[in-house]
Amino acid sequence: MAKTTTKDKQEHQGFEKYVRWFWMLFLGGILSFTLLFLLASWSVFGEMPDHTVLENPKTNLATEIISSDGKTIGKFYFDDNRTPVKYDELPKNLVEALVATEDARYYEHSGIDGRGTLRAILKPGSGGASTISQQLAKNLFHGEGSRNIVMRVLQKAKEWIIAIRLERQYTKEEIIAMYLNIVDFNNNADGIRSASNIYFDKEPQDLNVKESAMIVGMLKNPSLYNPRPNRNPVGVKNRRNVVLSQMEKYGYISEATKDSLQKTELDLKYSPQSHRDGTATYFREYLRAFMKDWANDKANRKPDGTKYNINSDGLKVFVTIDSRMQKYAEEAVGRHMPRLQAEFFNQNTPERNPTAPFLDLTKEEEKDLMTKAMRRGERWRILKNQGKSNKEIEASFQVPTKMTVFKWENGKASEVDTIMKPIDSMRYYKSFLRTGMMSMDPQTGHVKAWVGGMNYRHFQFDMVKQGKRQVGSTFKPFVYATAIDQLHMSPCDKLPLSQITIEANKYGNPEPWSPSNDGGDYGGDKTLKDALANSVNTVTARLMDKVGPQPVADLARRLGVTSEIPEVPSIALGTPDISVYEMVGAYSAFANQGVYTKPVMIERIEDKNGTVLFQFTPETRDVLSAESAYVTVKLMEGVVQSGSGSRLRGKWRGNQTVYKEIITGYPYELNNPIAGKTGTTQNQSDGWFMGMVPNLVTGVWVGAEDRAAHFKSITYGQGAAMALPIWGMYMKSCYEDEDLKISTGNFEKPKDLSIEVDCDKYQADNPDGDNDTPTDDIPDGLEL
């Protein structure tokens, strides 16, 4: 038997020492690892979410604005443009792309992928360490990882614990939906719904394979793989192709499909979402103000008594705007305004008008106008708050500055970078014609389209509700309606065209009032229908003299006009400043058998769980008899049949120069019953057209910011040339969309109509009368 030598004993003892150290380190590592997770789970390294927080993780959710036809037309948010979707709203190909690329064994693990983690430890940089559940935990509860190695290890431990808890709390499908809803895809694309809307202008469920692959590819680094135009198209495409390869690797698509899709372009349809871009921007700003007031009302509080945050509480606001009609309205404005503006610029070159864009101003008046504009502006306010003197601020307006300005280019709204003095920039913007347009269902009061201007980014003053301008001859139907209601007059009754003077002080007017007819026609007489169709001022003045200004002003107020209406005779020709919003609401009562319905913009507000927080209540009142309203409508039908609105019909025989240059969209060929009224104010500063069919009333205004900026003549400056084309194109588009069901029929006739509206029959019954038959060929400039 061999003896154990001292050397062997020493070697054996040395080996046992290493074994002991190995087990000490191994067991110590396991104990430390276990202790780390225990301490983390006990919130020693920072607060951990409990089960109640996991059930309702805190995320900022944008308020969603939903149109009457179910489309999202905008959102309110601070930083997170996020609207969650459910798992069943996600396309299968998107889920497959996500799993294949981010977590191939997602359905096999319970929050931690052991194989992936071990590979990441043994082979750094190989990927596979974070599961989808861990990524969700990171996004929900601490965001980007710390660069400090110790803190990063602690964060990782917390991620693992939260991931396991999430797997216990939610199904695999719910975790995928939560993850895709929480991820930031850049460019205000928070969550999958915003991403699919912004990058492809579609809902998530409509994404195809290559679109889903691109979006999933962004997850690796949204800043690097930014698909925004001109950023990194090659990198984004390469990353998308990696995702397609992963999908093929795990059997979600065939090799042939992968190869064919990898050859395609990204086919982006980039549709940025911001408060200043998109559709219905002016309406959305009106809505934002409404929502702020609603949230501040103590009657509208959360169950815990706190205020709703309209930017982060995930409210849903269901509005009356129809996304299709809004689109048609914006398109009509976008088609007409560049052509009208081009003619305005043509008339205001420095050679033709040294004080452009202003007309008939002295140098002193021009200087005073610009000085007042400076002091009302945002630049003045900001510099004044900085402590600058008036002299210093005025001097700053003369310093050339880099800026981006609005421009119509090739018939479309665009921007151009330039260097310009702020004072010159002010004059430049004052040279642009503005517009306001609103469309409403007269029976329900639902506002269907709202265009407050041409471009919200550069022209933020809303000309639907904020702006008020002289309404010109569009006020005349209020005078006629008062005469019909009080005196039982017929559209076929005649009044002389001769001049009339309402003496001073008769109705509170300090001076005698003697309106004139455009064209100087004062011979003979005309029916009321023909007089309104051709906007004859002296006939309107005679009606005003018969009824008095107070009943007319009272009628306008009962029709929803809240603007000041002086009770003097001159209001007959439209001297009051009134908004498009008020005018559309007022005209709607004529189409609604004399019943005024207050315009409605919001149907209801829901919280993120679908609980109704606000439901609108219709506000209506009887203003006119159904008979008086119907007769007024029949009067206004004459405007379109034979008057200043007749170009809405067939082939117009008016001034062909105007037709070629600014009558956009002609011929309209709208041959169904239409009631309407054009309006043009003094010096052609404002052009109006109010048009009605039985289930839709629409008003359009066009003019410059300052009344001193206007067309030289009525040829271009009348409502029939400035505003009517927008109405015509809009209605033509609405009629082409048969799903909208815009009426082509007659206005409803009252059962007991005692006033004769058929002038042929009226003439037969009154043979002594010389009833003028309206003609189709109406010369330009006949109405004021």
Side-chain angles (χ1 to χ4, degrees):
M1 183 175 177
K3 290 184 179 180
T4 303
T5 64
T6 303
K7 184 178 180 181
D8 290 337
K9 288 181 179 180
Q10 290 176 343
E11 289 178 353
H12 181 69
Q13 290 173 351
F15 180 73
E16 287 180 342
K17 179 182 177 182
Y18 288 125
V19 171
R20 283 195 303 272
W21 274 109
F22 170 78
W23 283 109
M24 287 172 63
L25 290 173
F26 180 74
L27 294 173
I30 292 176
L31 288 172
S32 299
F33 192 76
T34 303
L35 183 61
L36 174 68
F37 277 90
L38 282 172
L39 293 174
S41 65
W42 294 337
S43 302
V44 173
F45 305 126
E47 187 178 355
M48 291 285 286
D50 60 20
H51 73 280
T52 57
V53 175
L54 290 175
E55 286 178 356
N56 297 283
K58 179 66 176 177
T59 54
N60 290 332
L61 302 178
T63 287
E64 190 175 8
I65 307 166
I66 303 170
S67 68
S68 61
D69 56 320
K71 304 294 183 183
T72 298
I73 61 172
K75 298 177 183 178
F76 298 141
Y77 57 90
F78 282 130
D79 297 316
D80 295 339
N81 177 20
R82 179 175 292 105
T83 306
V85 297
K86 298 177 181 177
Y87 181 82
D88 56 14
E89 296 176 80
L90 300 173
K92 184 181 178 183
N93 60 63
L94 177 67
V95 175
E96 292 172 345
L98 175 66
V99 172
T101 308
E102 296 294 319
D103 192 352
R105 286 178 292 278
Y106 176 69
Y107 296 105
E108 300 170 13
H109 62 67
S110 298
I112 307 298
D113 182 2
R115 288 168 57 186
T117 301
L118 185 61
R119 183 176 68 250
I121 294 172
L122 297 177
K123 189 180 179 182
S126 62
S130 290
T131 64
I132 292 174
S133 302
Q134 287 176 259
Q135 292 181 49
L136 173 60
K138 179 179 72 173
N139 279 282
L140 280 175
F141 298 109
H142 70 73
E144 287 301 314
S146 173
R147 293 186 177 182
N148 182 292
I149 187 65
V150 175
M151 291 300 299
R152 186 68 193 107
V153 169
L154 296 178
Q155 285 178 344
K156 204 68 179 176
K158 293 168 70 175
E159 277 178 30
W160 285 18
I161 294 167
I162 296 171
I164 293 170
R165 290 179 178 178
L166 286 171
E167 290 269 352
R168 292 174 181 172
Q169 198 90 16
Y170 297 99
T171 66
K172 291 285 187 180
E173 290 76 15
E174 288 172 330
I175 289 173
I176 283 179
M178 290 173 67
Y179 174 64
L180 289 172
N181 281 325
I182 200 69
V183 175
D184 180 0
F185 291 93
N186 253 345
N187 303 312
N188 285 331
D190 300 301
I192 185 60
R193 189 169 185 210
S194 291
S196 59
N197 289 164
I198 289 173
Y199 297 130
F200 297 107
D201 194 24
K202 58 174 62 174
E203 290 299 307
Q205 60 194 8
D206 299 321
L207 293 171
N208 59 36
V209 174
K210 72 173 189 176
E211 292 166 347
S212 293
M214 190 210 82
I215 287 177
V216 168
M218 293 180 65
L219 294 172
K220 185 173 184 178
N221 188 333
S223 297
L224 176 62
Y225 300 112
N226 187 341
R228 187 175 176 179
N230 304 320
R231 288 301 177 93
N232 183 16
V234 175
V236 174
K237 184 177 178 180
N238 289 340
R239 179 60 188 164
R240 178 204 67 182
N241 290 347
V242 169
V243 175
L244 291 171
S245 294
Q246 288 294 105
M247 294 180 73
E248 186 270 331
K249 175 181 177 181
Y250 291 103
Y252 293 119
I253 60 175
S254 67
E255 184 176 3
T257 300
K258 178 204 71 173
D259 292 340
S260 63
L261 291 177
Q262 286 182 338
K263 295 175 183 177
T264 63
E265 297 302 318
L266 294 174
D267 293 330
L268 287 176
K269 193 174 180 182
Y270 185 62
S271 306
Q273 291 182 355
S274 73
H275 302 309
R276 295 187 175 187
D277 296 307
T279 190
T281 45
Y282 293 90
F283 171 76
R284 280 156 40 199
E285 284 308 304
Y286 157 78
L287 183 63
R288 183 195 297 278
F290 174 90
M291 290 298 295
K292 284 181 178 178
D293 291 341
W294 176 85
N296 286 329
D297 190 332
K298 291 182 179 179
N300 305 316
R301 289 288 192 262
K302 295 180 184 178
D304 62 3
T306 59
K307 289 198 306 184
Y308 282 99
N309 188 317
I310 67 168
N311 296 299
S312 61
D313 279 337
L315 301 174
K316 292 184 184 298
V317 185
F318 294 85
V319 298
T320 61
I321 296 292
D322 186 293
S323 69
R324 299 159 297 184
M325 297 172 76
Q326 181 70 29
K327 174 187 174 185
Y328 301 148
E330 292 177 0
E331 286 176 347
V333 167
R335 286 182 63 191
H336 181 59
M337 294 307 293
R339 295 185 66 178
L340 189 66
Q341 188 67 51
E343 178 55 34
F344 189 74
F345 281 148
N346 182 51
Q347 294 187 18
N348 283 282
T349 59
E351 297 78 19
R352 294 184 177 184
N353 180 16
T355 60
F358 312 117
L359 280 172
D360 307 321
L361 289 187
T362 65
K363 285 292 183 183
E364 283 301 314
E365 290 171 332
E366 182 185 3
K367 181 180 178 182
D368 183 57
L369 186 153
M370 293 299 291
T371 299
K372 288 179 178 177
M374 270 196 297
R375 299 193 175 205
R376 287 196 306 265
E378 184 70 5
R379 181 184 182 87
W380 186 282
R381 186 188 67 80
I382 292 172
L383 294 178
K384 200 68 178 176
N385 288 341
Q386 293 175 359
K388 303 289 185 182
S389 67
N390 289 359
K391 187 176 181 180
E392 289 174 313
I393 298 174
E394 287 179 3
S396 75
F397 276 83
Q398 303 296 330
V399 179
T401 306
K402 288 183 179 181
M403 62 182 69
T404 301
V405 297
F406 175 84
K407 181 181 180 182
W408 288 117
E409 190 169 18
N410 299 321
K412 294 183 178 181
S414 63
E415 295 180 332
V416 59
D417 294 328
T418 187
I419 298 176
M420 189 181 293
K421 294 178 182 177
I423 190 70
D424 293 335
S425 170
M426 282 177 50
R427 182 182 292 270
Y428 173 74
Y429 275 105
K430 285 180 178 294
S431 69
F432 279 93
L433 297 172
R434 317 291 177 86
T435 188
M437 175 183 181
M438 189 177 109
S439 193
M440 168 180 159
D441 182 326
Q443 280 78 46
T444 64
H446 288 188
V447 174
K448 295 297 183 182
W450 177 309
V451 184
M454 306 170 302
N455 183 283
Y456 184 77
R457 184 177 290 274
H458 293 276
F459 305 94
Q460 294 182 15
F461 192 75
D462 175 30
M463 291 307 302
V464 168
K465 205 166 191 295
Q466 285 181 299
K468 297 184 179 185
R469 298 296 289 259
Q470 282 190 345
V471 293
S473 292
T474 57
F475 194 88
K476 288 178 179 176
F478 303 146
V479 180
Y480 280 73
T482 304
I484 292 165
D485 197 48
Q486 288 191 357
L487 307 176
H488 214 63
M489 296 186 74
S490 164
C492 310
D493 286 332
K494 292 182 179 180
L495 289 177
L497 297 179
S498 59
Q499 288 186 304
I500 174 176
T501 297
I502 297 179
E503 61 268 26
N505 300 314
K506 181 176 182 180
Y507 293 114
N509 47 312
E511 302 291 335
W513 184 58
S514 300
S516 59
N517 290 334
D518 189 56
D521 183 11
Y522 300 102
D525 50 25
K526 280 189 180 293
T527 63
L528 296 191
K529 185 174 183 179
D530 199 16
L532 184 64
N534 295 293
S535 220
V536 179
N537 291 334
T538 55
V539 171
T540 308
R542 289 184 185 280
L543 292 175
M544 176 61 82
D545 194 31
K546 289 177 181 292
V547 299
Q550 181 177 341
V552 175
D554 287 343
L555 174 64
R557 294 184 189 108
R558 294 199 307 274
L559 290 171
V561 177
T562 57
S563 299
E564 182 181 0
I565 304 177
E567 294 175 2
V568 294
S570 61
I571 63 173
L573 304 188
T575 54
D577 289 350
I578 304 176
S579 69
V580 173
Y581 172 88
E582 293 169 282
M583 290 297 287
V584 172
Y587 267 63
S588 291
F590 296 131
N592 193 30
Q593 299 183 304
V595 178
Y596 170 76
T597 301
K598 186 176 180 180
V600 175
M601 284 72 75
I602 302 161
E603 291 191 75
R604 69 183 187 278
I605 301 171
E606 295 180 359
D607 67 13
K608 63 182 180 181
N609 298 314
T611 302
V612 176
L613 306 175
F614 168 86
Q615 187 89 39
F616 96 95
T617 302
E619 295 183 35
T620 64
R621 58 176 173 266
D622 293 335
V623 177
L624 285 168
S625 67
E627 181 180 51
S628 296
Y630 180 75
V631 174
T632 306
V633 167
K634 298 305 288 186
L635 275 168
M636 287 191 280
E637 282 186 354
V639 174
V640 177
Q641 291 167 353
S642 61
S644 52
S646 60
R647 61 189 65 178
L648 289 170
R649 298 295 184 191
K651 300 299 181 182
W652 169 48
R653 300 195 302 274
N655 187 316
Q656 293 302 303
T657 301
V658 178
Y659 158 68
K660 291 178 181 177
E661 292 180 359
I662 61 173
I663 308 303
T664 320
Y666 182 85
Y668 311 106
E669 298 179 309
L670 301 174
N671 295 312
N672 53 286
I674 298 171
K677 188 69 192 80
T678 53
T680 308
T681 61
Q682 190 175 20
N683 295 330
Q684 301 79 240
S685 295
D686 305 274
W688 288 79
F689 185 72
M690 302 295 301
M692 303 186 293
V693 296
N695 65 350
L696 195 66
V697 176
T698 304
V700 183
W701 166 86
V702 174
E705 177 183 351
D706 299 282
R707 289 183 171 93
H710 56 82
F711 281 105
K712 292 181 179 180
S713 74
I714 202 164
T715 300
Y716 296 93
Q718 61 177 299
M722 294 171 72
L724 179 143
I726 293 174
W727 193 95
M729 288 186 290
Y730 167 69
M731 290 300 293
K732 196 170 182 179
S733 296
C734 287
Y735 279 122
E736 288 171 356
D737 190 337
E738 295 180 359
D739 292 338
L740 295 176
K741 295 180 172 57
I742 305 302
S743 173
T744 58
N746 291 305
F747 290 87
E748 186 175 350
K749 184 178 180 179
K751 293 179 180 178
D752 300 319
L753 182 64
S754 62
I755 299 176
E756 184 57 67
V757 295
D758 184 342
C759 292
D760 290 335
K761 185 176 184 300
Y762 184 89
Q763 186 177 25
D765 293 339
N766 297 272
D768 294 334
D770 182 19
N771 185 27
D772 294 336
T773 302
T775 61
D776 292 328
D777 193 7
I778 305 301
D780 286 303
L782 197 59
E783 52 109 355
L784 278 177

